[in-house]
Amino acid sequence: MLAWFVRMSGVLAFAGAAVLCVWVAGLPAGVALPAPGLVAMTWAAIGLVWLRVVALWVWWSDDTYLWMPYTSPARPVSLAKGSGGERRQGPGVLRRLATSEYESVPWVYLRQAAVWLLMLASLAALNVLGQSHTSQHVRSLVRAGAAYSTATVAEVADVTEMRDDEDEVTGHHATLLLTLPDGSRVRSEGAYTEKRPKPGDRVRTLWAPAATELGGVVEEGASLGRYVDRDWGLTLSGTAVVLLPLILVLACMLPTAIAAEADSLQEQAWSPIAQTVHAAAVTGVMLAALPYLSGTFSDDSVSLGVAAVGLLALYIAMPIRALMA
C-alpha cells in the first residue's frame, strides 16, 4: 500500500507542476502581478513534490507492511516479477493492491517521456516569466489598468543625448508632457525617443486612464502594447525557447535512456536519494520564479536563466546516471 501512496503522490506532484507550467507559459505580459493563484499554486506544487519524496523514504525504510498479518514481497524496483516467496491462498483486495508493484517496460519509457515534456513546458514558462518582467513603474500601470495610446508632445524638458562608442547619437532621453486623445495630460520622465523630441511630435505611450498621476512610459522600439493584453494564451516567444532542449532530448537524452534500459530508469525513479536531489532542483527553480510571480523581483533574486540551465542539466544527467548504474 505504501508503494501505491508513492505512486499517487507522484501523480499529484506531476499534475500540480504541469498545471503551473502551462498556466505560466500562457501568461500575458499585461497580467497584474502578483498573478491571482499562481503564488499559491507554486507553493502547492512544491509541497506535492516533497510529499512524494517523504513517501519514498517511508516506503524505502519499511521492509515489511506492518499493518498486514504476514510479510510483503520484495520491493518494486525490478521490472521482472519474482516469486516473492510462498503466498497464502485467496489474498484480500488490499493484499493484491500491495503486491501489484511491478511496472511494464513501456510504462517506464512513457513516464520518462512525460517527465521530459514537463521539463520542456517548464523552460517555456521560465522564458515567459523572463520576458514579462519589467520595471516597477510599468507594473504599477498594469495594476491600474494600462492603456497604450498615441499622444501629442506638449512640452519637452531635460533632453539628454545617448551616444555609442563612436560618438554617434543613438537616441534621446527627456521629460515629456503628453496630451492624450481624451484630453488628459500625463508626464513621462525618462522617455526614450530615437529623434530629438519637440512639441507637436506624436509618440506612443503606456499610461493608466484611471491613474494619470502615475504618468506615462515612452520607449520607442519597445513593444509596450503587449502590457495591455490580458488574455491567456501560448505564444511563439514562449515556446520557441524549447527548440534547443528538444533537440538535446532527441539527440542525447533519448538514446541514453534507451541504452540505460528500463530497469535502471525504474530503479532511479524509486530511489529516495535520486528523487530527493530531483525535488531539491525543482524546488530551486520554483523559488527562482516566485519573485517574478509575486511582482517583487529585485537584482538579488536568483536568475531564471541559471535556473533553466540547471534544470536542463539535471534532466541530461539523469539518464546518464541510469546508464552508468
Side-chain angles (χ1 to χ4, degrees):
M1 187 58 70
L2 283 176
W4 279 98
F5 183 70
V6 172
R7 284 191 178 92
M8 293 308 300
S9 61
V11 170
L12 291 175
F14 182 90
V19 170
L20 178 64
C21 290
V22 174
W23 189 353
V24 174
L27 197 66
V31 68
L33 296 175
L38 278 175
V39 174
M41 188 68 203
T42 301
W43 284 114
I46 291 175
L48 290 171
V49 167
W50 283 102
L51 175 64
R52 181 176 186 271
V53 171
V54 171
L56 265 176
W57 279 108
V58 172
W59 168 82
W60 190 259
S61 61
D62 185 23
D63 289 333
T64 59
Y65 296 103
L66 300 180
W67 49 271
M68 291 183 178
Y70 51 89
T71 303
S72 69
R75 282 193 163 71
V77 171
S78 176
L79 297 177
K81 292 187 178 182
S83 61
E86 294 298 326
R87 299 184 182 181
R88 297 183 180 181
Q89 296 294 324
V93 175
L94 291 180
R95 178 65 177 176
R96 289 199 301 270
L97 286 175
T99 56
S100 253
E101 295 178 347
Y102 298 95
E103 304 188 46
S104 65
V105 172
W107 166 250
V108 172
Y109 287 118
L110 181 62
R111 181 181 59 199
Q112 188 73 27
V115 169
W116 284 339
L117 286 175
L118 181 58
M119 180 266 294
L120 294 175
S122 66
L123 293 179
L126 291 175
N127 187 55
V128 166
L129 278 184
Q131 291 191 352
S132 298
H133 171 63
T134 184
S135 66
Q136 181 61 46
H137 187 197
V138 171
R139 291 203 295 268
S140 299
L141 293 174
V142 168
R143 284 194 291 267
Y148 193 49
S149 309
T150 300
T152 302
V153 177
E155 297 179 12
V156 180
D158 304 327
V159 180
T160 302
E161 292 182 345
M162 299 182 64
R163 297 179 178 271
D164 58 19
D165 295 337
E166 298 178 355
D167 204 32
E168 295 284 340
V169 177
T170 59
H172 302 80
H173 281 297
T175 298
L176 306 178
L177 182 63
L178 305 171
T179 303
L180 281 303
D182 65 352
S184 301
R185 286 197 168 190
V186 297
R187 185 175 299 277
S188 177
E189 297 182 1
Y192 172 79
T193 57
E194 295 178 357
K195 296 181 180 179
R196 189 179 186 89
K198 60 183 183 299
D201 286 350
R202 296 176 66 80
V203 295
R204 299 284 288 174
T205 181
L206 187 73
W207 65 299
T212 55
E213 69 277 3
L214 294 177
V217 176
V218 175
E219 190 173 349
E220 287 189 350
S223 56
L224 297 177
R226 63 196 178 103
Y227 292 109
V228 302
D229 178 18
R230 295 172 178 83
D231 295 328
W232 184 93
L234 297 174
T235 62
L236 181 61
S237 63
T239 55
V241 72
V242 305
L243 181 59
L244 177 59
L246 179 59
I247 293 175
L248 288 175
V249 167
L250 297 177
C252 175
M253 298 158 71
L254 180 60
T256 305
I258 294 176
E261 298 183 348
D263 263 335
S264 296
L265 295 175
Q266 172 76 347
E267 183 176 356
Q268 189 176 76
W270 285 82
S271 166
I273 296 176
Q275 295 307 308
T276 299
V277 173
H278 179 270
V282 171
T283 301
V285 172
M286 292 186 179
L287 291 179
L290 269 177
Y292 291 81
L293 296 173
S294 61
T296 58
F297 176 83
S298 68
D299 292 338
D300 295 330
S301 297
V302 177
S303 168
L304 287 180
V306 173
V309 171
L311 187 67
L312 183 59
L314 171 68
Y315 282 102
I316 291 176
M318 286 174 64
I320 294 177
R321 175 68 182 85
L323 179 62
M324 297 172 60

